[in-house]
Amino acid sequence: MKFVDEAPIKVQAGNGGKGCCSFWREKFIAKGGPDGGDGGDGGSVYLLADDSLNTLVDYRFQPNHQAQSGEAGRGRNCTGAKGEDLILKVPVGTTAIDVDTGETLGDLLEPGQKLLVAQGGFHGIGNTRFKSSTNRAPRQTTPGYPGEFRNLKLELKVLADVGMLGLPNAGKSTFIRAVSAAKPKVANYPFTTLVPNLGVVKVQKYRSFVIADIPGLIEGASEGAGLGIRFLKHLTRCRVLLHLVDLAPFDGSDPVQNALAIERELKSFSPTLAGRERWLVLNKTDLVPAAELEERCQSIVSALGWQGPVFRVAAIRGEGTDVLSGQLMEYLEEVKHREEIDADLFEAEQEAQRQMQREARDRIEEVRLAQRAKRKGEEEYAEDDEDWDDDEYDVDVEYRR
């Protein structure tokens, strides 16, 4: 099935019903006076966090949503019916952003949480409201006010628990095939992975986590080179990052320099993301002679000044992947437990995620503007830069179980 991490939608709140101009007419009652009722308020549009949902796919195919308008007032001081509110269910962890202003309307972090995204129009007033001692037969009314309209972008807050980053051909797709049921394309050439892949890693019964594989980074990725920057922001919601390093690059490059290049690109893209919990995974140990393995691994750890966990795996054979998956599961459960009992820790995590999202958006916008300025004088340059269209660098992600 298709996992859609972002979905653009348009929401229209209901209009307020107009007020009624009416006068009481009844047998034996002359000049009964004004009796026009008010209209009803328009319905508002709300987002509701539902923990039974995990995708925004429905909104990609149903982008337009409108709440019910209020009914007009009637005679005999009858008020028009209020328009029903429109409740749009979204996964827990969804962020709503106003496309026109860039404002973040809110985050839906808990099941059952509601967020108002479009206010319904206020009702019109009937002529009864205008009667006075000097205005015994008013004919004034007011129309209902229009409901609020918004262009929204819904972002799913958590794409995966674990994210992988590394150079092209570092073995990320092979690793995700080894630990999950996902089957991304694997081949011996760079950029085999063109869009992120997600896989569910089942450690034990009722114990599992989601891992994301994004296209590989290259030198200059933070300046727009390659594909990686388009998908790096998907990692801002991950709790753990796995930095995969190829111990035996097929192009003969130095694994130490490759590891340092990823480190530099990550810091340039988002300093907050670079400070995220990261584990070093040294892949393709089966291709390194046993006599050289220890020295090669230690050179990478020393060059990076690595203080965190280090794992050695041969993803194509599945060697070392079970141990790594088990420790990832334990770490994720421990983090979740700590946040459940410590509200300050939970809020600090949410603020860190918001900061990473801001840094990611700002960096991508800088690169997009630089690309447009660079290509402005070219004849092929169209009105809209298709390479950096907002919907293009946030593409559908294939989610496989």
Side-chain angles (χ1 to χ4, degrees):
M1 87 189 216
K2 287 287 184 179
F3 182 96
V4 181
D5 65 315
E6 294 192 0
I9 65 171
K10 297 179 180 180
V11 293
Q12 173 68 64
N15 299 325
K18 64 180 181 180
C20 175
C21 181
S22 174
F23 293 90
W24 189 6
R25 292 292 182 264
E26 189 173 343
K27 190 176 182 179
F28 305 122
I29 300 179
K31 300 180 180 179
D35 68 348
D38 297 342
D41 291 331
S44 299
V45 182
Y46 292 88
L47 299 182
L48 174 66
D50 188 338
D51 56 3
S52 67
L53 301 177
N54 59 4
T55 76
L56 295 169
V57 66
D58 292 336
Y59 295 106
R60 179 56 64 95
F61 301 105
Q62 181 73 30
N64 299 313
H65 303 272
Q66 183 170 359
Q68 187 179 32
S69 295
E71 293 185 357
R74 297 187 179 90
R76 302 207 174 208
N77 293 315
C78 291
T79 301
K82 180 183 182 300
E84 291 187 10
D85 294 333
L86 179 61
I87 308 295
L88 302 177
K89 294 183 179 180
V90 295
V92 175
T94 298
T95 299
I97 301 170
D98 189 315
V99 175
D100 298 324
T101 65
E103 176 188 5
T104 298
L105 302 182
D107 296 329
L108 295 163
L109 304 178
E110 299 178 358
Q113 183 178 352
K114 289 177 69 175
L115 174 67
L116 175 66
V117 292
Q119 176 66 53
F122 186 71
H123 62 265
I125 297 175
N127 66 333
T128 301
R129 301 275 193 174
F130 293 94
K131 67 180 180 181
S132 68
S133 59
T134 58
N135 188 7
R136 306 299 295 273
R139 297 183 182 276
Q140 300 100 315
T141 62
T142 62
Y145 292 87
E148 191 174 15
F149 172 82
R150 284 186 189 270
N151 282 310
L152 298 180
K153 180 168 66 174
L154 303 182
E155 289 187 356
L156 188 58
K157 206 174 222 19
V158 179
L159 286 177
D161 303 298
V162 179
M164 293 188 293
L165 55 93
L167 287 175
N169 275 108
K172 300 184 297 298
S173 295
T174 303
F175 182 85
I176 201 173
R177 288 170 70 101
V179 299
S180 74
K183 301 300 178 186
K185 184 178 180 180
V186 174
N188 191 26
Y189 55 82
F191 298 114
T192 310
T193 300
L194 299 178
V195 295
N197 295 284
L198 298 184
V200 177
V201 181
K202 185 176 181 180
V203 178
Q204 292 177 351
K205 190 174 183 180
Y206 304 122
R207 296 181 71 208
S208 63
F209 60 88
V210 179
I211 188 168
D213 160 33
I214 69 168
L217 302 179
I218 62 174
E219 192 80 35
S222 60
E223 302 297 329
L227 299 174
I229 192 174
R230 303 186 185 191
F231 307 106
L232 261 176
K233 77 173 195 173
H234 293 319
L235 300 183
T236 59
R237 301 299 187 180
C238 297
R239 296 306 181 96
V240 187
L241 301 180
L242 299 183
H243 184 170
L244 265 72
V245 179
D246 185 352
L247 291 176
F250 77 95
D251 60 358
S253 58
D254 184 2
V256 173
Q257 294 304 316
N258 292 343
L260 291 173
I262 297 300
E263 187 89 359
R264 289 192 296 269
E265 295 304 323
L266 194 60
K267 290 179 179 178
S268 179
F269 178 77
S270 169
T272 307
L273 180 61
R276 202 70 165 150
E277 177 73 18
R278 278 188 292 149
W279 294 5
L280 184 62
V281 181
L282 305 176
N283 191 24
K284 303 184 183 180
T285 56
D286 55 319
L287 299 181
V288 181
E292 303 177 13
L293 180 60
E294 186 65 28
E295 180 182 354
R296 193 171 299 189
C297 291
Q298 285 302 320
S299 65
I300 296 173
V301 173
S302 300
L304 293 174
W306 197 268
Q307 301 296 322
V310 180
F311 297 86
R312 303 177 186 181
V313 303
I316 196 169
R317 296 183 178 181
E319 296 176 3
T321 58
D322 289 343
V323 174
L324 175 54
S325 297
Q327 293 196 27
L328 283 170
M329 187 76 257
E330 292 176 2
Y331 175 80
L332 293 170
E333 290 176 339
E334 179 185 352
V335 168
K336 183 178 180 180
H337 176 69
R338 289 204 306 262
E339 291 183 357
E340 286 177 348
I341 62 177
D342 189 341
D344 292 338
L345 188 62
F346 175 79
E347 182 55 37
E349 169 63 24
Q350 299 307 313
E351 179 55 35
Q353 291 190 10
R354 288 191 286 268
Q355 178 64 24
M356 286 186 288
Q357 287 285 302
R358 286 192 292 267
E359 292 175 356
R361 293 192 189 104
D362 291 344
R363 188 57 182 162
I364 290 173
E365 181 66 13
E366 288 176 10
V367 174
R368 183 173 66 86
L369 294 176
Q371 289 283 347
R372 284 183 172 177
K374 182 179 179 181
R375 299 172 58 181
K376 189 174 182 180
E378 299 180 8
E379 293 182 358
E380 304 81 26
Y381 183 67
E383 280 188 349
D384 296 319
D385 185 352
E386 296 180 356
D387 286 343
W388 288 98
D389 183 81
D390 189 55
D391 287 331
E392 188 166 330
Y393 66 76
D394 296 319
V395 300
D396 293 351
V397 182
E398 196 166 350
Y399 184 84
R400 304 186 178 99
R401 294 181 183 272

